[in-house]
Amino acid sequence: CAGLVFYWNILPNPYEYDWMTMTPYFINIRHFSHYCTAIVILGTAFLLGGSQKHMVLSCSFLLLSICWAFLFWSGSRAGIGSAVLGLFFIGILSENKKQRFLVITILSCLTGYLLSDAITLENYALGLVNAVKRTDFNNLLPGRIELWIFSLKWVKSSFLLGMGADAFRFLPNDNFI
């Protein structure tokens, strides 16, 4: 996250930069959002851990809000959905800390949304609102199921080491996408 903030600040005009396909250190902005998803889930679990130090809690909450902001800003429906699903399970497992969990989740989400809204770009592929707008619920599931079936073949063939991010683009015999 710090790298993108730095990159944003050194660009002459970050609002005109192609963040979708030229994200520093990533092939696509969606790959970055998956890191944010993991940090949102782990950060929420950390904040529920019980630390009573005010500085630790404040810094952790700030970082969690920034990760939510980047997740919303990236417009990744899969990342946002995965974060919500992960937080659902954390909410179930947070036995006597449900009130703390709800406060952390709602406040960090709201703060993250406000931060992401502050750097909204005129790009249809980026942003939480645009992610909802471009979702076609009639065609969403059939394409995903076909993609999952296709991916299971690769998991079976390369279970231990995997294929790597975006590796499907470089396999000559598989013309799925």
Side-chain angles (χ1 to χ4, degrees):
C1 292
L4 285 184
V5 171
F6 175 76
Y7 203 74
W8 176 280
N9 287 303
I10 64 169
L11 286 172
N13 188 354
Y15 292 97
E16 292 180 6
Y17 185 75
D18 182 12
W19 291 100
M20 188 67 193
T21 58
M22 296 177 64
T23 306
Y25 315 111
F26 296 94
I27 295 172
N28 189 299
I29 191 73
R30 305 298 190 244
H31 298 157
F32 170 68
S33 72
H34 295 303
Y35 285 99
C36 292
T37 299
I39 294 170
V40 161
I41 294 168
L42 293 173
T44 302
F46 175 77
L47 283 172
L48 289 175
S51 174
Q52 299 300 324
K53 295 182 180 177
H54 182 67
M55 183 59 98
V56 171
L57 291 174
S58 299
C59 290
S60 299
F61 179 80
L62 178 64
L63 291 174
L64 182 63
S65 298
I66 290 170
C67 283
W68 270 114
F70 275 118
L71 189 58
F72 291 147
W73 179 73
S74 73
S76 173
R77 296 171 295 197
I80 294 167
S82 298
V84 168
L85 186 63
L87 291 177
F88 173 76
F89 287 115
I90 289 176
I92 290 173
L93 297 174
S94 62
E95 299 161 352
N96 57 349
K97 298 181 181 179
K98 293 210 185 295
Q99 183 178 4
R100 185 174 179 173
F101 167 76
L102 287 173
V103 168
I104 289 169
T105 302
I106 291 169
L107 288 179
S108 63
C109 263
L110 182 60
T111 307
Y113 177 74
L114 294 173
L115 286 171
S116 72
D117 197 42
I119 55 172
T120 300
L121 303 174
E122 295 298 323
N123 186 329
Y124 191 64
L126 297 174
L128 177 64
V129 174
N130 289 336
V132 174
K133 283 182 186 175
R134 71 174 187 277
T135 302
D136 180 7
F137 292 102
N138 295 327
N139 295 324
L140 185 65
L141 194 55
R144 291 292 177 185
I145 291 173
E146 189 176 347
L147 181 61
W148 292 334
I149 291 170
F150 186 75
S151 299
L152 285 176
K153 292 181 200 175
W154 285 349
V155 169
K156 185 178 175 185
S157 69
S158 184
F159 184 73
L160 226 61
L161 299 177
M163 298 300 283
D166 269 356
F168 65 88
R169 298 180 194 274
F170 305 109
L171 295 175
N173 298 329
D174 295 314
N175 296 322
F176 178 71
I177 298 177

